Amino acid sequence: MTKHVGDIIKMPFHEYHAAAQEAARRAAVVLEDWRQKFQVREKGRFDLVTDADLAAQKVIQEYLSERFPEHGFLGEEDVGPKGRPSADAPPTWIVDPIDGTTNYVHDCPLYCISIGLQIAGELVVGVVLDPCRNEMFHAARGTGTWLNERRIRTSTTGCLEEALIATGFPPDLRDNEQTLDWWRHFSFKARSLRRTGSTALNMAYVAAGRFDAYYAFDNHVWDVAGATVLIEEAGGRVTNVDGSVYDAYTPDALATNGPLHPLMVETFAAGFNQL
């Protein structure tokens, strides 16, 4: 039987929360070991995968499977179909072993490990670990969002003119020119824009109040699963760009501090008619 959100929030998440953090730490050790000695391949044009991605995911999966053998696992580097778990699926770990692989390949310190847990269709635990800065963003439903040992909250910015907004670009911009159109659109409305190359870090920074909003049109569920809970538990909001209830298995996402959300939804609605 499918659980309601209220029932899910009452579940004891401490063990899952702690395990996700430990799995991320183990993967960070793997990434450090592999730095500057890995081989690089392309999954698709401009979309990279390294030996480090594969090794880090293997460590995460082995650890979580040993701890919770009844759980499912969905990783970016899985071979074969990677669709939405069925309604009656067991708790499922959703993992991106390196979010920001291109940055990692170039030794640019803007990449992270992202781990989320989905139960009965709801994302309930999230961890995003930045191994370069030793920053562990983590949250579970009903417990707030934390950066290492410090509780964090989203910002209070309420107008675009004062907002620092992040976005993401697809690996191949051809046939995705709307990404450039929106970059130009917000460049004239916001204080400034950032593109870090890591969706999970972008969203974690929204949770921490470093960014005021994030939007993109080309996400995968493993990009966002770890960070969605971070934002919501920190006081922010995550929806699709039209303001509808968020579906992490769709490519578009809008994550904000909360006060900016109606304005961003309104801006997208008006902009789609203009671009």
Side-chain angles (χ1 to χ4, degrees), residues 26 143 182 224:
R26 293 183 180 213
T143 67
W182 282 110
V224 300

Side-chain angles (χ1 to χ4, degrees), residues 30-246:
V30 172
L31 297 189
E32 183 61 28
D33 287 345
W34 274 99
R35 271 167 32 97
Q36 300 183 6
K37 69 177 184 180
F38 49 75
Q39 294 184 359
V40 181
R41 295 176 293 282
E42 285 193 2
K43 288 183 283 188
R45 186 172 176 84
F46 310 123
D47 196 4
L48 304 178
V49 62
T50 69
D51 291 327
D53 292 84
L54 301 172
Q57 179 167 304
K58 183 173 185 287
V59 163
I60 293 170
Q61 184 170 9
E62 286 178 348
Y63 174 75
L64 293 175
S65 296
E66 181 179 352
R67 288 288 304 274
F68 312 108
E70 73 281 7
H71 287 193
F73 190 91
L74 174 58
E76 181 181 12
E77 307 310 333
D78 289 348
V79 176
K82 293 181 280 192
R84 183 193 307 266
S86 63
D88 58 351
T92 300
W93 295 96
I94 304 174
V95 171
D96 191 341
I98 310 178
D99 186 45
T101 302
T102 300
N103 288 341
Y104 177 77
V105 166
H106 288 271
D107 201 24
C108 176
L110 285 166
Y111 56 87
C112 64
I113 299 145
S114 175
I115 301 175
L117 177 64
Q118 178 177 304
I119 300 178
E122 297 290 333
L123 293 167
V124 297
V125 171
V127 166
V128 173
L129 173 59
D130 176 351
C132 299
R133 292 171 56 88
N134 193 29
E135 291 191 330
M136 176 85 76
F137 303 87
H138 56 100
R141 290 292 182 201
T143 67
T145 301
W146 302 78
L147 171 49
N148 296 333
E149 304 304 317
R150 175 172 60 88
R151 188 159 184 177
I152 55 176
R153 299 282 300 179
T154 54
S155 70
T156 59
T157 302
C159 61
L160 281 175
E161 292 79 6
E162 298 177 359
L164 180 59
I165 298 176
T167 190
F169 284 10
D172 189 350
L173 277 167
R174 290 173 298 184
D175 298 323
N176 291 287
E177 287 84 356
Q178 70 165 345
T179 304
L180 300 176
D181 294 336
W182 282 110
W183 179 274
R184 184 178 189 278
H185 185 78
F186 281 109
S187 292
F188 288 103
K189 293 182 179 293
R191 171 169 286 167
S192 193
L193 270 67
R194 296 290 183 266
R195 179 196 171 205
T196 68
S198 170
T199 294
L201 272 185
N202 286 336
M203 294 178 71
Y205 282 13
V206 172
R210 297 173 180 175
F211 293 153
D212 302 299
Y214 161 79
Y215 70 90
F217 304 98
D218 66 311
N219 294 326
H220 299 281
V221 66
W222 45 83
D223 300 321
V224 300
T228 297
V229 182
L230 300 179
I231 293 174
E232 294 175 343
E233 285 293 313
R237 290 188 63 191
V238 185
T239 68
N240 291 100
V241 295
D242 63 359
S244 59
V245 174
Y246 187 48

